[in-house]
Amino acid sequence: MANRERYFKNASWMLFDKSITMGIVFVAGIFVARYLQPTLMGTWYYALSLSGLFGVVGVLGIKPILIRELVSDGADRERILGNAVILRFLCGLATTAILTLYAFAMVHQPTLRYLLILLGVVGVFQATDSYDCLFQARIRAKHGVLVRLTGAVFLGGIKLLLILLKLPLIWFGVSVLFCEMLMAGMYVFIGWRFYNISLFRFKFERDQVVYLLGQCWPLLLSGMATFIYLRIDSIMLRNMINEKAVGYYGVAVRLALAWNFIVVTTSAAFYPVIVRAAGVSEQLLARRLVQLYSLVLWLSICIGGGLAIIGSWLLPMLVGDSYRASVPVFQLLCLMGLFSGITMVSSYWLMVKHLQKYSMGRNIFGMIINVILNCILIPRYGIIGAAVASIMARLAATIGFMVFVPSMRIHLLYLLRSLNPYRIIEVIFDKENLLWAKGSKS
């Protein structure tokens, strides 16, 4: 019972973190969009997207592997965490160097050039967020939540101060780097104070680093494919049209998908139910999947559809009339959360069936479709073409992938059955849904 309470508190901390952080980012983002206006906002979003593409390499997809390694009671946590931090630090240095060379060789706009360099350096300090894997492995998510909330509050406050002082765009890059340095210091301090793990005792061990690289390279490829799949639009819009188009598109994307965390956290809450059902019978697993599909589908339809309907009024009210060109993109992308929910639920099935390789294949497939459609549609239809490309790529990577992969075709039937709203009533009133509460003696 004690373990169950620890897991519940841990999950509650993570949900609290996600909700508050998203709220701070959302509010700060509205003020920043109003202040910078579409052209400078486009420069900012382009810098974030391009530096983020390089940053994915620095992250290495190592977090799930690191949590798995640290969760064992017999693990040498300082040795494992130390090598992970060193590995990510070295990758961060390498990607920063490459991004800096790219900025000086290919970028002729001084503000954008120095933004890219500042955001590249951020990746070096992000190596310390490997400590969060230790916190999660020890069921102490509140320590990571404290760091992230502090960073979000400071960054949001600094951005508002920059707006009040009417400082130029480059200072927004400086603020991101400052807050990342603050968070890095907090991670190191908490690791030393509560876990007796000192940064100064970390040592590079070739065998451990090679092992971690061997374990995480599939996740690295999947992460890169996912990032390109989701962010390539901004990069291609800037290269094919201009920064102003990126500003319109970026604001629409972030506001349209801001509500997605509701679907994500709802799905995550049901993941233990899916795992338990898989251990009981295929029939029960199928029933739970249909119920969860129904929940995320109807949540997405109601929230996303509602936002799309009021989008022509809501978006200008939030960010100003200068972003009216973003309205049709916002209305289209509000419906994209539907595919996010389907992807998450099917990913849970892939994990319980140990078929994670299909997740990587699906992301790569979606990435290829998105790039091809962007090349075709952006020159003709601009930002609306980019939105249509994103939706079509998501559709191909969810429904299309289910059609082409024989073992996933059963999910098409689950989706059809989930359209019955009665399934949501089952979720609410079916007492057997929370299997962990019945027959568990942990």
Side-chain angles (χ1 to χ4, degrees):
M1 190 69 174
N3 283 341
R4 198 179 302 152
E5 289 177 358
R6 288 178 67 201
Y7 283 114
F8 177 76
K9 287 180 180 178
N10 204 56
S12 299
W13 273 106
M14 294 174 74
L15 180 60
F16 173 76
D17 169 38
K18 195 74 175 177
S19 303
I20 301 300
T21 303
M22 285 293 295
I24 294 171
V25 170
F26 181 78
V27 173
I30 289 173
F31 282 101
V32 171
R34 281 180 167 271
Y35 173 66
L36 293 178
Q37 294 298 298
T39 301
L40 284 178
M41 201 65 189
T43 303
W44 177 237
Y45 280 148
Y46 178 76
L48 289 173
S49 297
L50 192 57
S51 61
L53 181 59
F54 284 86
V56 171
V57 179
V59 173
L60 291 170
I62 203 172
K63 287 190 173 183
I65 304 300
L66 194 52
I67 292 172
R68 186 191 69 191
E69 296 296 317
L70 291 169
V71 79
S72 172
D73 288 331
D76 186 346
R77 296 190 182 93
E78 187 167 83
R79 174 173 173 264
I80 295 169
L81 180 62
N83 280 279
V85 171
I86 292 170
L87 177 59
R88 287 190 57 189
F89 178 77
L90 293 175
C91 288
L93 285 177
T95 55
T96 300
I98 295 170
L99 190 58
T100 300
L101 289 173
Y102 173 85
F104 278 104
M106 304 297 294
V107 178
H108 305 295
Q109 185 182 342
T111 299
L112 178 58
R113 178 187 300 157
Y114 294 114
L115 271 178
L116 288 173
I117 295 171
L118 285 169
L119 295 174
V121 176
V122 165
V124 177
F125 291 95
Q126 284 178 338
T128 57
D129 73 11
S130 299
Y131 278 83
D132 188 49
C133 298
L134 173 66
F135 306 156
Q136 292 185 47
R138 304 311 298 160
I139 323 297
R140 295 176 181 174
K142 63 181 180 181
H143 289 147
V145 171
L146 174 64
V147 175
R148 287 188 296 274
L149 282 180
T150 302
V153 170
F154 265 82
L155 184 57
I158 291 172
K159 284 181 177 179
L160 293 178
L161 180 62
L162 296 177
I163 292 170
L164 289 174
L165 297 176
K166 298 183 179 180
L167 293 178
L169 176 59
I170 192 67
W171 284 98
F172 287 85
V174 174
S175 69
V176 172
L177 178 57
F178 170 78
C179 288
E180 198 62 49
M181 292 170 67
L182 172 66
M183 292 167 64
M186 291 184 66
Y187 275 125
V188 172
F189 175 77
I190 292 173
W192 167 76
R193 177 66 178 81
F194 295 98
Y195 300 85
N196 194 31
I197 291 180
S198 173
L199 182 73
F200 301 104
R201 292 198 296 265
F202 288 171
K203 294 180 182 178
F204 179 86
E205 297 181 19
R206 183 176 177 275
D207 292 344
Q208 181 70 29
V209 168
V210 170
Y211 170 75
L212 289 173
L213 282 172
Q215 292 291 305
C216 71
W217 73 264
L219 294 174
L220 170 60
L221 291 179
S222 180
M224 290 182 67
T226 302
F227 190 90
I228 294 171
Y229 172 27
L230 298 176
R231 291 288 190 90
I232 196 65
D233 316 70
S234 296
I235 297 173
M236 295 182 74
L237 277 169
R238 193 258 181 182
N239 292 331
M240 291 182 175
I241 306 180
N242 54 35
E243 282 90 351
K244 196 170 189 177
V246 180
Y248 289 139
Y249 187 80
V251 166
V253 168
R254 280 154 181 80
L255 292 180
L257 302 183
W259 62 271
N260 261 17
F261 84 95
I262 299 174
V263 174
V264 171
T265 51
T266 302
S267 302
F270 274 80
Y271 179 55
V273 177
I274 299 297
V275 174
R276 292 262 180 197
V280 175
S281 69
E282 286 296 319
Q283 292 79 8
L284 186 59
L285 175 61
R287 183 181 175 189
R288 297 296 179 247
L289 286 169
V290 171
Q291 290 173 339
L292 186 51
Y293 271 130
S294 185
L295 186 60
V296 300
L297 279 174
W298 284 104
L299 268 177
S300 300
I301 290 170
C302 293
I303 300 175
L307 289 174
I309 291 171
I310 65 172
S312 58
W313 164 80
L314 180 65
L315 191 139
M317 183 198 73
L318 291 175
V319 292
D321 286 334
S322 59
Y323 287 94
R324 280 202 175 273
S326 302
V327 169
V329 177
F330 173 81
Q331 292 172 316
L332 284 170
L333 294 180
C334 278
L335 303 177
M336 203 159 69
L338 180 70
F339 302 113
S340 299
I342 295 172
T343 300
M344 281 207 68
V345 178
S346 60
S347 294
Y348 294 155
W349 180 83
L350 291 173
M351 283 189 277
V352 298
K353 294 295 183 181
H354 303 287
L355 296 172
Q356 292 94 324
K357 62 181 180 180
Y358 287 134
S359 289
M360 181 173 69
R362 177 168 60 187
N363 290 337
I364 293 173
F365 180 60
M367 175 193 72
I368 293 170
I369 296 295
N370 201 13
V371 171
I372 292 172
L373 289 177
N374 273 319
C375 289
I376 296 171
L377 297 177
I378 287 177
R380 295 183 181 183
Y381 305 107
I383 59 175
I384 294 178
V388 171
S390 290
I391 293 172
M392 294 303 292
R394 284 291 184 100
L395 180 64
T398 50
I399 308 301
F401 201 74
M402 290 176 183
V403 172
F404 290 121
V405 178
S407 60
M408 293 194 69
R409 287 175 187 161
I410 187 66
H411 288 261
L412 296 171
L413 177 61
Y414 296 160
L415 284 171
L416 285 174
R417 291 171 59 191
S418 71
L419 291 173
N420 182 353
Y422 175 72
R423 304 296 179 188
I424 300 179
I425 299 175
E426 282 187 345
V427 173
I428 298 171
F429 293 103
D430 186 353
K431 294 181 180 179
E432 293 182 355
N433 245 328
L434 298 178
L435 291 177
W436 52 267
K438 185 176 181 178
S440 175
K441 298 180 181 181
S442 59

